[in-house]
Amino acid sequence: MMDRARRRIGIVGYGHLGKFLVNQILLREDDLELVFVWNRTSSVLRNEVDEKYILEDLSLFADRKPDLIVEVAHPLITAQFGVDFLKVADYLVGSPTTFADIKVEESMREAATTHGLYIPSGAFWGAEDIKKMADRGTLQKLKVTMSKHPSCFRLNGELFEKNKSVTTERTVLYEGSVRGLCPLAPNNVNTMAAAAMVAHNLGFDKVEGSLVSDPMLTDWHVVEVDVWGPGDIESGSAFHVKTTRNNPAKAGVVTGSATSVSFISSLLGAHGKGPGVHFC
């Protein structure tokens, strides 16, 4: 295959997931080409990544002529660079909790006019079906419950303090809107943020999130998705689907082992859909 047919990929962030993606791209020389890797601490990249791929200054990303930029670093990257990224390339957002800031969400939707803004479905099972319901206006209610071992959370503020006291009993750390939760757990609730974007007729204020700290979950992250459609919810006659996803994960691990494989599938799917917001 000729080089011009290969998609040129830039990776922003070199943590566990970023490293996995870089290695996968380098293995797929027939259809993907790595054009840059950026990390907040560039020294981490030394002896890990060939010098030709290292981008010291993220503001110079356009010089590498990427077709797709993939963020796996921090929600602030989209707030700072997302609009500029979309002027040059398609953009896959690995930290969709950034969209809990309504100004960021609005600016990014408006910017996706020449390139595609892609959001990975990740652990959010049934995203396409739920989007269809949102498009038709038949989605009445959506709740996502995430349960993990206490050591798997990276929390801020009151949730950090509450989680510290969890030792033996399953404890609900948060119950409420996804918009309110994202700033308190930006590294843990990307699945919920993706749900709020998919369920666009409800959005971040009406999609419900529940975060559970469970000392017994030493081998799994559990994600439960409750969906209500047409009918009367109060009487129990409404359409209702509940899915439960058990993602293998050891205590202390923020991201489950199935997430990396899911994300490379999202990267491969972030292609060819044109301008607008897409899920992959």
Side-chain angles (χ1 to χ4, degrees):
M1 184 177 293
M2 298 179 65
D3 284 353
R4 67 187 181 189
R6 299 162 69 194
R7 277 202 297 158
R8 297 168 59 85
I9 312 296
I11 300 294
V12 180
Y14 197 72
H16 175 78
L17 183 52
K19 184 174 183 177
F20 173 82
L21 295 177
V22 166
N23 290 334
Q24 289 296 306
I25 292 167
L26 292 174
L27 288 172
R28 297 182 63 99
E29 294 183 347
D30 57 334
D31 59 347
L32 300 178
E33 178 184 358
L34 183 68
V35 294
F36 75 77
V37 184
W38 176 90
N39 194 64
R40 182 173 62 88
T41 307
S42 60
S43 61
V44 171
L45 301 175
R46 308 300 174 194
N47 302 318
E48 289 267 343
V49 178
D50 192 305
E51 187 73 25
K52 68 182 180 181
Y53 299 126
I54 297 175
L55 181 63
E56 296 281 358
D57 184 348
L58 188 54
S59 67
L60 300 178
F61 69 92
D63 294 348
R64 302 295 181 97
K65 297 179 173 56
D67 297 313
L68 174 69
I69 298 171
V70 181
E71 176 275 312
V72 283
H74 192 279
L76 285 176
I77 295 296
T78 298
Q80 295 173 355
F81 293 95
V83 170
D84 291 331
F85 286 164
L86 283 170
K87 293 176 182 177
V88 173
D90 290 336
Y91 182 38
L92 176 59
V93 183
S95 305
T97 52
T98 189
F99 298 119
D101 182 332
I102 193 169
K103 292 182 179 179
V104 174
E105 180 184 357
E106 290 176 347
S107 66
M108 291 298 290
R109 286 185 183 275
E110 291 172 3
T113 56
T114 56
H115 295 93
L117 173 61
Y118 291 87
I119 300 169
S121 299
F124 184 49
W125 198 258
E128 289 299 326
D129 290 320
I130 293 170
K131 183 179 183 297
K132 291 176 184 177
M133 293 174 67
D135 290 344
R136 295 195 302 269
T138 60
L139 180 64
Q140 289 198 70
K141 184 178 178 181
L142 176 62
K143 181 178 181 179
V144 181
T145 302
M146 299 184 70
S147 303
K148 300 182 180 183
H149 188 272
S151 64
C152 295
F153 290 113
R154 302 292 182 268
L155 305 171
N156 298 324
E158 61 193 74
L159 294 195
F160 174 79
E161 296 300 327
K162 190 172 184 179
N163 188 53
K164 284 200 305 184
S165 65
V166 178
T167 55
T168 58
E169 297 294 327
R170 179 181 186 274
T171 302
V172 177
L173 300 177
Y174 180 95
E175 192 103 34
S177 76
V178 171
R179 192 182 303 282
L181 177 56
C182 284
L184 297 172
N187 298 314
N188 289 111
V189 297
N190 284 308
T191 296
M192 294 186 188
M197 292 292 285
V198 169
H200 56 83
N201 67 323
L202 300 177
F204 280 83
D205 291 313
K206 293 184 179 179
V207 172
E208 299 177 18
S210 179
L211 200 63
V212 179
S213 185
D214 188 345
M216 300 301 292
L217 288 177
T218 55
D219 297 301
W220 305 95
H221 293 171
V222 181
V223 179
E224 300 167 274
V225 179
D226 279 282
V227 184
W228 288 266
D232 186 348
I233 294 177
E234 292 188 4
S235 68
S237 62
F239 171 87
H240 178 222
V241 174
K242 180 171 183 175
T243 62
T244 301
R245 183 180 189 268
N246 295 329
N247 188 358
K250 297 297 182 182
V253 176
V254 175
T255 304
S257 60
T259 301
S260 296
V261 176
S262 173
F263 205 97
I264 192 66
S265 296
S266 293
L267 186 155
L268 295 173
H271 176 56
K273 295 184 180 179
V277 180
H278 311 288
F279 301 90
C280 54

